[in-house]
Amino acid sequence: MKWLKKLTNAFRRNSMTQPSPVGATLRTNDLSFFWFLVDAPMAMDTLLIERFHDAVIRPESIIKSESESTADKWITQQRLGAEGKGSGEVPFVVKLALKGKFEHRETQEDAASLSRQLEIPRTPERLLEEIVAFYLLNFPDRVLRVDPVSTKVFTADSETEQKYEILDETCARPGPRPIVLIDAPKLTKIMPIAGEFMNGKLDVVYDSLILALSTADAPLRRFARGMDRDKKAERWKELADRFDASTAMQVLEDAARRNDNARFDWVDFRMAWGSEGFPSPLHLHMVPNGRYPTGVFGHAFIRRAFSNGVRIVGTLKSGGDINVLAIYER
């Protein structure tokens, strides 16, 4: 895309060259989509983010403290931004727009006798920002931006619209696991399928959803084992055509009430792909580990996604399966 080409050109310039205010503004605008990461997400899989960050970026060390003595003081820092300046308060999208360069610096200086302990923030939000920045800089072809309503897919290094098949094709190519940014506008249909509660009970919410959306004259038909692709597509289309966000929200919250108002350990959803039943709806797997009330997934996720849209960051598996890292409101 244009913003990535401009960003790449900026990297090729002399590292001491300061961008003009106009150029910095243009690059910031080019990165405007990624501003949604500078927000508190409605839900996160914090353990998955931490493990994925370490697996992909593999930091050699994490700064936990800074010590000084009457001898020399050594400070090692990793900074992202204009020539490494700043202390991390500026969101990564601004730093990418200004410079877009990771820097490791080690300095030596005289210091008076002093000993102190500093806590270095390493929150899941910051780790996720660094993951996205790392991919944009090093593996833009493995960053997939998806609109499930208009059925559009783009990679971060191209303005060419891709087909749905690019999801599996990217998974099949060697490289780190692809990440997907689902830019879901209003009218997005998110259907609760199943979940396991913290009390260990499993609830197949799909059964309740089928029943709630059925009528006496037109009952919805369930899936059956061994069903071929055309039949599956037919069933998914029937469910998507009958979908009602308020009903789906209520069904999910009723499942929690049936299970002693327990919270979800994990919960799965299906996100309809366009208006047809094929390809099958994207499979969203979320592991909240009991940290969020059911209403977050019922109202803020299902209902607001239909009325306002939602943004999701996840890791992509083959078959349109996504492990959700974080969910953001529009």
Side-chain angles (χ1 to χ4, degrees):
M1 292 186 175
K2 291 180 180 179
W3 62 263
L4 190 66
K5 292 178 182 176
K6 293 179 182 178
L7 193 59
T8 302
N9 290 335
F11 298 156
R12 293 171 181 163
R13 296 173 188 155
N14 187 295
S15 59
M16 299 300 293
T17 301
Q18 289 290 337
S20 68
V22 175
T25 299
L26 288 174
R27 286 191 288 278
T28 300
N29 290 337
D30 289 333
L31 290 164
S32 61
F33 169 74
F34 297 96
W35 273 107
F36 78 89
L37 289 169
V38 188
D39 187 14
M42 74 165 77
M44 304 187 80
D45 186 340
T46 56
L47 180 59
L48 179 58
I49 289 173
E50 291 175 0
R51 294 176 67 182
F52 188 57
H53 179 276
D54 291 338
V56 173
I57 298 180
R58 292 191 177 278
E60 294 182 1
S61 61
I62 301 169
I63 302 174
K64 293 294 186 182
S65 64
E66 177 184 293
S67 61
E68 300 178 8
S69 67
T70 53
D72 295 332
K73 178 177 69 172
W74 290 88
I75 302 175
T76 302
Q77 296 174 317
Q78 177 184 8
R79 298 183 179 183
L80 172 64
E83 295 188 352
K85 295 179 180 179
S87 56
E89 296 86 353
V90 181
F92 89 94
V93 287
V94 175
K95 295 178 180 181
L96 276 176
L98 292 174
K99 183 67 177 177
K101 182 179 181 182
F102 287 100
E103 293 195 4
H104 295 266
R105 290 188 169 190
E106 190 174 78
T107 60
Q108 180 184 15
E109 59 186 62
D110 295 331
S113 179
L114 175 65
S115 179
R116 60 180 177 176
Q117 185 80 18
L118 300 178
E119 292 293 330
I120 309 299
R122 194 171 186 262
T123 64
E125 289 85 353
R126 293 189 182 207
L127 296 182
L128 184 56
E129 284 187 5
E130 190 171 350
I131 289 170
V132 174
F134 179 81
Y135 267 79
L136 290 174
L137 290 169
N138 297 285
F139 303 100
D141 61 317
R142 301 184 78 80
V143 179
L144 301 168
R145 184 173 169 183
V146 173
D147 181 337
V149 174
S150 62
T151 66
K152 294 180 180 179
V153 182
F154 294 92
T155 59
D157 63 344
S158 174
E159 295 179 343
T160 303
E161 182 179 333
Q162 302 289 338
K163 301 296 184 181
Y164 181 91
E165 289 72 23
I166 190 65
L167 302 180
D168 273 349
E169 290 172 5
T170 304
C171 287
R173 293 197 300 268
R177 182 165 296 283
I179 59 174
V180 59
L181 306 171
I182 301 179
D183 187 16
K186 64 180 181 179
L187 304 183
T188 293
K189 300 175 181 180
I190 298 178
M191 302 172 283
I193 300 299
E196 184 175 348
F197 293 95
M198 294 300 292
N199 61 12
K201 295 182 179 179
L202 178 68
D203 195 297
V204 182
V205 189
Y206 167 77
D207 291 335
S208 301
L209 182 63
I210 289 290
L211 183 61
L213 294 175
S214 293
T215 64
D217 296 332
L220 283 173
R221 295 173 293 176
R222 298 187 79 263
F223 288 91
R225 291 184 181 276
M227 191 174 283
D228 63 26
R229 191 190 79 172
D230 291 341
K231 284 293 184 182
K232 286 183 179 179
E234 188 178 300
R235 297 291 192 271
W236 279 125
K237 180 170 174 53
E238 288 175 355
L239 180 56
D241 287 346
R242 200 84 62 89
F243 178 81
D244 178 79
S246 295
T247 300
M249 173 191 72
Q250 189 65 51
V251 163
L252 188 70
E253 294 179 344
D254 286 346
R257 281 189 280 271
R258 284 196 302 273
N259 289 277
D260 307 319
N261 290 314
R263 296 185 176 186
F264 282 108
D265 183 10
W266 61 264
V267 57
D268 284 0
F269 302 89
R270 288 282 192 157
M271 178 179 283
W273 184 257
S275 58
E276 300 300 321
F278 185 83
S280 296
L282 296 170
H283 177 196
L284 308 178
H285 178 66
M286 180 72 186
V287 184
N289 196 27
R291 290 188 302 273
Y292 305 99
T294 307
V296 167
F297 301 103
H299 181 269
F301 191 38
I302 295 175
R303 188 168 182 177
R304 280 188 56 83
F306 190 79
S307 60
N308 297 281
V310 69
R311 288 190 172 113
I312 301 168
V313 183
T315 61
L316 179 65
K317 301 179 288 185
S318 59
D321 289 2
I322 296 166
N323 286 334
V324 175
L325 295 169
I327 303 169
Y328 294 82
E329 293 179 302
R330 273 181 173 269

